[in-house]
Amino acid sequence: MCHAITLFFLFLTFPQFVFRVLLCCSISLCYSQMVKAYAQEHIYKHPWERVTSASWRKFADPENKRTLSHILQVDTLNHKLDPLSGTLYTTRALTIHAPGPWFVRKIIGQDICHCVESTVVDAQSKSMQLTTRNVSLQKFIEVEEKIRYDPHPDNPTGWTICRQETRIRIKPLSALASMAERVEQRCAERFMQNSVKGREVMERICKYLEAESSGMAL
């Protein structure tokens, strides 16, 4: 009789137990896949050729180092032109200040982060896409940034539209997991601030190139 009551009790409670386990697993899975993502658009009132030229010069111009102080070093790793399609492929290594606020750098014990930027330029279709991912600190955080420059549909010969997408993910088992939402938010704020600085630099270079093509000096 005692065994029968025990089996009956387990029969009644087991589905609830399974539900709780599955719920916990589901929450854990959702958390591990939680990503802070945001998108931005900006219109440069300059032709595509000028904007893409400015993009190449953004890190090279010494005048921009103060504005882009989070960029410590840029090295070209690969530069290849496909003769058939006319598509240019470039890979660069970027050394930057570690993303996020000071307490994140304190936890991870590192002030710098190494990233790889892959660029594809299709001159025929007039598209330029840059994808940047971090290669260090991956056990703590994953960051992917995509920037695309295309002729603006309303004024394809005079304006360029820039679309930027950034995805930030804190690793669920890392030292930052307990404060993932806060860290992701602060990192997103920092990346948005840097995006504003980047656009300021791009606008300045575009105006310089415009003046240069007109034979004038700024």
Side-chain angles (χ1 to χ4, degrees):
M1 183 67 180
C2 181
H3 291 296
I5 294 174
T6 302
L7 289 173
F8 181 73
F9 177 77
L10 288 174
F11 178 79
L12 291 176
T13 58
F14 184 73
Q16 297 178 9
F17 172 77
V18 173
F19 175 76
R20 289 184 185 130
V21 171
L22 292 176
L23 180 61
C24 289
C25 291
S26 177
I27 292 173
S28 176
L29 180 62
C30 288
Y31 179 75
S32 66
Q33 294 178 345
M34 187 183 298
V35 176
K36 189 75 175 181
Y38 68 93
Q40 302 180 83
E41 285 191 2
H42 180 74
I43 298 174
Y44 292 98
K45 295 186 177 181
H46 300 276
W48 180 84
E49 292 81 1
R50 185 180 300 154
V51 173
T52 52
S53 296
S55 178
W56 289 120
R57 297 178 60 164
K58 182 169 64 174
F59 299 139
D61 195 333
E63 295 182 8
N64 301 327
K65 288 186 177 181
R66 180 177 297 180
T67 305
L68 303 176
S69 58
H70 60 289
I71 305 293
L72 302 177
Q73 187 172 339
V74 179
D75 299 294
T76 300
L77 304 178
N78 186 35
H79 197 71
K80 179 183 177 181
L81 177 65
D82 187 338
L84 297 178
S85 63
T87 304
L88 176 66
Y89 301 89
T90 301
T91 305
R92 298 194 292 187
L94 278 62
T95 303
I96 67 173
H97 284 295
W102 65 270
F103 63 84
V104 171
R105 295 191 289 272
K106 191 74 172 179
I107 293 173
I108 63 181
Q110 193 169 329
D111 290 331
I112 63 173
C113 179
H114 301 287
C115 304
V116 171
E117 177 197 77
S118 301
T119 305
V120 180
V121 182
D122 188 339
Q124 293 184 359
S125 62
K126 290 189 176 182
S127 70
M128 179 180 188
Q129 180 165 310
L130 303 88
T131 302
T132 306
R133 298 183 179 92
N134 64 301
V135 294
S136 62
L137 307 180
Q138 286 192 350
K139 67 179 181 179
F140 298 102
I141 185 172
E142 289 181 349
V143 178
E144 180 185 72
E145 181 182 61
K146 292 184 178 181
I147 300 176
R148 184 181 178 95
Y149 300 102
D150 296 289
H152 196 284
D154 294 338
N155 187 358
T157 60
W159 293 356
T160 303
I161 185 168
C162 171
R163 298 181 177 92
Q164 181 177 358
E165 298 178 4
T166 304
R167 298 168 61 87
I168 304 167
R169 176 176 178 262
I170 302 297
K171 290 296 185 69
L173 299 179
S174 73
L176 301 178
S178 62
M179 57 182 78
E181 186 174 354
R182 181 185 177 191
V183 173
E184 288 169 349
Q185 181 63 36
R186 293 292 295 275
C187 287
E189 292 171 358
R190 182 65 60 86
F191 275 97
M192 293 184 74
Q193 292 171 3
N194 291 336
S195 296
V196 173
K197 294 179 182 179
R199 289 195 293 269
E200 291 175 358
V201 168
M202 289 282 291
E203 288 284 2
R204 184 162 61 242
I205 298 175
C206 283
K207 290 179 181 178
Y208 173 81
L209 293 173
E210 182 181 16
E212 189 178 59
S213 64
S214 303
M216 298 183 297
L218 290 178

